[in-house]
């Protein structure tokens, strides 16, 4: 069992977390180098926004901010004895809190329409029911600075991190029951509803304070990613490993309460945000983001056509991605993750105005058969892998060595098509897209190709209303620490100096002109190899790895 936990934590934590229906491997349309133009920004969910398009950039508070000692991630990563020393130390981030107003100027230089960022709950409410007005004022000034420069804020409320008092990692069993210093977390029968209530109160506070200037809200970032590292395998705070021995008694209740949290936050925002700041006819537009993947049924290192592997692929996708979204779409819940809803929750239905798509990796799934191995995911009985020898790379240069997965630059098209068909009428945004690389050109190529695939989907009627690059700057990539670099701006962590990469300069030009020129597409676009990593690390001989994502 200990062997399983070690492997599973690596597999399902470092990132195994993003699905989508498998793409037709033969359908890989390349660039024709025609000029592509994008419309102006509009509402992410109102009917008036259909056909609109926004260029954006994303970040998250815990990954960039300094002076953030009240988060569970700070406690979890801080070396002992002051902290728990469980994974690379977040430390002072990249001084994103101290330099917040300076960084608004970086966003302005990108010529983007919108900045998606999170507000750190632990900074606003470091102790239960004690609100830090200075922190609220800080974020208020940041919002004002963005709006003054014509940049629309999109606020993420819960991006993986919590105040320590929500679910104290030092006391995961919570034997004494909920208290003001430890509510015991989403999985606790008494504490779970209290956490949901607190999340709704936090969302309401933000909507009350900022709703006169902010209309666009994200309740949860990649909910099943959070569930997996926090409650399944305990690789991140609060460190609860309930997937094997507590699947039905602890893990599933945590998922159910997290759905309740989204619904409670959605309703709180709708009630508290009384202003139509962007004049689109809606006072608030509320969505969440989902971690998606390109799923490939695989066997013996090749794409598999065997029904058992195709079924395994679909089982895993249902477990990791679809069950959560279907619950909100249909008002029901599949509590045993067998593919059939067995609980009715009509109160959940209709609480999703738009959906954010976040795709990073191409992942293979196979059926382990009657004798599961040490890497088999229990309960859904699948083997999951992100790189050779589990499956053949589409191109050696698509391998991302810092993350241990393959990232297909053409992957967004089949993902967007699938979601549009599955949820007709639900507007989509690409709320994160990027690649970890030490090469600015490689990052630029990935950006252009993502936009090409979005344009392809839009030209076929898919309602995709924007693209947010991940990330604004190099930052803390959770269990990977500061090694992977996704930023449009590179960061020297000694001086904290921000330097625009080739990707930043190119993206700025694209956003300003709202155009992909034929020249830009000829140089950066298409379906061929990417520029290799400077150290030659993007080779098919790269070590086998588990599925991963950056955050």
């Amino acid at each position: 069992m200990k062997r399983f936990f070690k492997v599973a934590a690596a597999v399902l934590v470092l990132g195994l977390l993003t699905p989508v229906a498998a793409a037709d491997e033969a359908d890989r349309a390349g660039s024709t180098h025609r000029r592509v133009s994008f419309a102006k920004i509009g509402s992410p969910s109102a009917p008036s926004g259909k056909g609109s398009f926004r260029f954006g950039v994303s970040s998250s508070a815990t990954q960039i901010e300094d002076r953030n000692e009240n988060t569970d991630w700070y406690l979890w990563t801080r070396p002992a004895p002051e902290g728990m020393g469980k994974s690379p130390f977040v430390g002072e981030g990249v001084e994103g809190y101290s330099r917040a107003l300076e960084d608004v100027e970086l966003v302005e230089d990108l010529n983007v329409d919108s900045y998606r960022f999170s507000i750190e709950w632990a900074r606003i409410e470091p102790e239960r029911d004690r609100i830090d007005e200075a922190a609220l004022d800080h974020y208020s000034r940041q919002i004002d600075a963005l709006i003054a420069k014509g940049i629309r804020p999109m606020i993420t409320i819960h991006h993986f991190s919590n105040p320590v008092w929500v679910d104290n990692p030092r006391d995961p069993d919570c034997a004494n029951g909920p208290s003001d210093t430890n509510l015991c977390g989403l999985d606790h029968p008494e504490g779970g509803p209290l956490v949901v209530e607190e999340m709704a109160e936090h969302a309401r506070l933000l909507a009350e304070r900022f709703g006169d200037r902010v209309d666009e809200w994200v309740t949860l970032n990649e909910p099943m990613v959070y569930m997996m590292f926090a409650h399944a395998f305990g690789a991140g705070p609060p460190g609860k490993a309930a997937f094997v021995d507590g699947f039905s008694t602890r893990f599933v209740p945590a998922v159910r309460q997290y759905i309740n949290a989204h619904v409670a936050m959605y309703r709180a925002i709708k009630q508290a945000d009384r202003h139509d700041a962007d004049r689109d006819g809606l006072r608030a537009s509320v969505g969440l983001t989902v971690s998606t993947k390109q799923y490939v049924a695989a066997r013996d290192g090749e794409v598999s056509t065997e029904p058992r592997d195709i079924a395994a692929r679909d089982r895993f996708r249902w477990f990791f991605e679809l069950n959560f979204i279907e619950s909100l779409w249909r008002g029901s819940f599949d509590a045993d993750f067998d593919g059939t809803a067995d609980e009715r929750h009509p109160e959940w239905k209709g609480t999703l105005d738009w959906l954010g798509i976040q795709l990073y990796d191409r992942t293979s799934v196979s059926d382990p058969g009657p004798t599961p191995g040490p890497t088999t995911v229990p309960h859904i009985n699948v083997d999951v892998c992100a790189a050779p020898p589990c499956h053949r790379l589409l191109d050696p240069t698509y391998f991302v060595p810092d993350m241990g997965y393959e990232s297909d630059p053409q992957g967004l098209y089949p993902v967007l098509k699938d979601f549009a068909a599955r949820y007709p009428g639900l507007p989509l945004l690409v709320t994160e897209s990027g690649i970890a690389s030490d090469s600015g050109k490689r990052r630029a190529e990935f950006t252009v190709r993502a936009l090409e695939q979005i344009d392809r989907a839009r030209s076929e009627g898919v309602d995709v209303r924007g693209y947010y690059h991940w990330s604004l700057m190099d930052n803390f990539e959770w269990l990977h620490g500061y090694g992977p670099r996704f930023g449009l701006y590179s960061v020297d962590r000694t001086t904290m100096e921000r330097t625009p990469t080739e990707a930043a300069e190119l993206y700025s030009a694209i956003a300003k002109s709202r155009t992909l020129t034929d020249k830009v597409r000829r140089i950066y676009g298409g379906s061929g190899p990417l520029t290799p990593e400077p150290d030659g690390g993007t080779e098919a001989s790269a070590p086998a790895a588990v599925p991963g994502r950056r955050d």
Side-chain angles (χ1 to χ4, degrees):
M1 194 62 70
K2 289 182 179 179
R3 161 71 175 160
F4 168 78
F5 263 73
K6 288 180 180 179
V7 175
V11 172
L12 286 176
V13 170
L14 283 184
L16 127 175
L17 322 148
T18 30
V20 163
D24 179 355
E25 299 294 340
D27 182 18
R28 307 190 56 75
S31 169
T32 58
H33 305 318
R34 65 178 175 80
R35 181 184 183 91
V36 174
S37 297
F38 294 92
K40 293 183 178 180
I41 186 173
S43 171
S45 61
S48 62
K50 191 168 186 178
S52 68
F53 193 82
R54 62 183 57 204
F55 291 96
V57 65
S58 294
S59 72
S60 91
T62 304
Q63 293 179 267
I64 64 172
E65 289 187 351
D66 51 321
R67 304 187 337 223
N68 213 5
E69 298 184 9
N70 293 307
T71 66
D72 51 3
W73 273 93
Y74 195 92
L75 173 62
W76 181 264
T77 63
R78 188 179 187 181
E82 295 86 357
M84 300 174 69
K86 294 285 191 176
S87 57
F89 185 31
V90 61
E92 294 304 300
V94 291
E95 296 184 352
Y97 192 77
S98 298
R99 298 172 182 248
L101 297 184
E102 298 172 36
D103 289 339
V104 168
E105 296 179 8
L106 302 184
V107 180
E108 180 187 27
D109 289 344
L110 292 174
N111 292 306
V112 294
D113 306 301
S114 180
Y115 180 33
R116 176 189 165 226
F117 62 101
S118 64
I119 289 179
E120 190 69 81
W121 183 10
R123 202 182 289 277
I124 301 298
E125 195 174 359
E127 299 172 8
R128 189 183 185 194
D129 296 332
R130 180 174 75 81
I131 303 303
D132 189 328
E133 291 292 339
L136 283 168
D137 182 65
H138 168 92
Y139 288 115
S140 182
R141 286 183 282 112
Q142 183 180 5
I143 290 168
D144 285 344
L146 289 166
I147 292 173
K149 295 181 181 299
I151 301 164
R152 189 176 298 184
M154 174 181 280
I155 292 179
T156 303
I157 299 174
H158 194 260
H159 196 129
F160 295 172
S161 60
N162 295 299
V164 171
W165 55 264
V166 167
D167 198 350
N168 193 326
R170 289 195 187 275
D171 183 22
D173 294 332
C174 211
N176 295 324
S179 69
D180 284 345
T181 58
N182 187 6
L183 289 185
C184 301
L186 291 164
D187 62 326
H188 193 276
E190 297 174 48
L194 295 176
V195 174
V196 170
E197 182 180 320
E198 292 289 347
M199 293 178 75
E201 287 183 7
H202 176 59
R204 181 177 294 106
L205 174 64
L206 298 185
E208 288 172 347
R209 294 298 182 95
F210 305 137
D212 59 333
R213 289 156 289 165
V214 177
D215 278 357
E216 298 170 3
W217 304 89
V218 181
T219 56
L220 310 175
N221 180 75
E222 298 181 337
M224 285 304 289
V225 175
Y226 175 68
M227 285 291 106
M228 295 310 287
F229 72 69
H231 289 275
F233 297 105
K240 296 183 174 179
F243 201 74
V244 176
D245 296 328
F247 183 78
S248 61
T249 57
R250 295 176 60 197
F251 177 76
V252 172
V255 175
R256 188 185 290 109
Q257 291 292 12
Y258 209 35
I259 297 173
N260 281 329
H262 161 80
V263 173
M265 294 164 79
Y266 179 95
R267 300 199 188 285
I269 293 167
K270 292 288 188 175
Q271 293 168 1
D273 187 345
R274 310 304 300 171
H275 304 272
D276 182 6
D278 59 10
R279 298 180 179 83
D280 66 351
L282 298 176
R283 292 193 296 270
S285 183
V286 186
L288 59 74
T289 74
V290 60
S291 176
T292 65
K293 291 184 186 298
Q294 286 179 281
Y295 287 117
V296 181
R299 181 153 298 275
D300 299 326
E302 302 291 344
V303 174
S304 174
T305 58
E306 292 192 29
R308 60 175 173 152
D309 295 321
I310 294 172
R313 177 200 69 193
D314 294 343
R315 276 200 310 278
F316 184 71
R317 188 189 181 201
W318 175 259
F319 163 78
F320 185 70
E321 172 187 323
L322 293 179
N323 192 8
F324 201 102
I325 304 304
E326 289 280 324
S327 296
L328 301 174
W329 185 252
R330 302 188 186 280
S332 59
F333 184 54
D334 175 10
D336 56 8
F337 290 86
D338 67 351
T340 302
D342 41 38
E343 294 179 8
R344 293 185 66 252
H345 291 274
E347 72 279 10
W348 290 353
K349 190 174 182 178
T351 58
L352 199 59
D353 298 337
W354 56 268
L355 183 64
I357 302 298
Q358 304 186 170
L359 171 68
Y360 288 93
D361 62 279
R362 180 173 177 261
T363 291
S364 62
V365 186
S366 59
D367 178 22
T371 308
T375 62
T376 300
V377 181
H379 301 292
I380 48 174
N381 196 38
V382 297
D383 286 333
V384 186
C385 187
C390 304
H391 65 258
R392 189 190 303 271
L393 297 178
L394 295 170
D395 188 288
T397 66
Y398 294 174
F399 184 71
V400 185
D402 282 338
M403 299 302 294
Y405 57 57
E406 178 187 15
S407 198
D408 176 11
Q410 287 77 46
L412 274 172
Y413 170 77
V415 170
L416 294 170
K417 288 281 287 185
D418 178 86
F419 272 90
R422 189 175 294 272
Y423 304 114
L426 182 64
L428 304 176
L429 290 170
V430 176
T431 41
E432 287 184 22
S433 175
I435 187 171
S437 176
D438 290 330
S439 165
K441 184 173 184 182
R442 186 169 162 84
R443 298 186 217 187
E445 290 166 342
F446 200 88
T447 302
V448 169
R449 296 181 193 197
L451 290 168
E452 287 179 333
Q453 297 307 309
I454 291 171
D455 171 68
R456 182 182 173 198
R458 281 167 56 89
S459 70
E460 296 178 14
V462 178
D463 187 8
V464 188
R465 302 192 183 189
Y467 167 88
Y468 287 78
H469 186 90
W470 182 270
S471 61
L472 173 61
M473 65 190 80
D474 296 339
N475 56 33
F476 176 72
E477 290 299 332
W478 307 109
L479 299 177
H480 294 278
Y482 289 97
R485 293 174 172 267
F486 281 86
L488 290 172
Y489 293 89
S490 64
V491 178
D492 182 326
R493 294 204 66 252
T494 300
T495 64
M496 297 298 178
E497 181 180 358
R498 285 88 156 110
T499 303
T501 65
E502 184 174 344
E505 295 168 353
L506 179 66
Y507 189 45
S508 176
I510 292 169
K512 183 176 183 178
S513 66
R514 313 195 77 78
T515 301
L516 288 176
T517 66
D518 56 352
K519 181 179 180 180
V520 164
R521 297 188 68 188
R522 195 163 52 247
I523 296 172
Y524 296 97
S527 58
L530 294 169
T531 295
E533 284 294 326
D535 62 0
T538 51
E539 299 297 333
S541 59
V546 296
R549 65 173 300 279
R550 15 121 269 87
D551 62 3

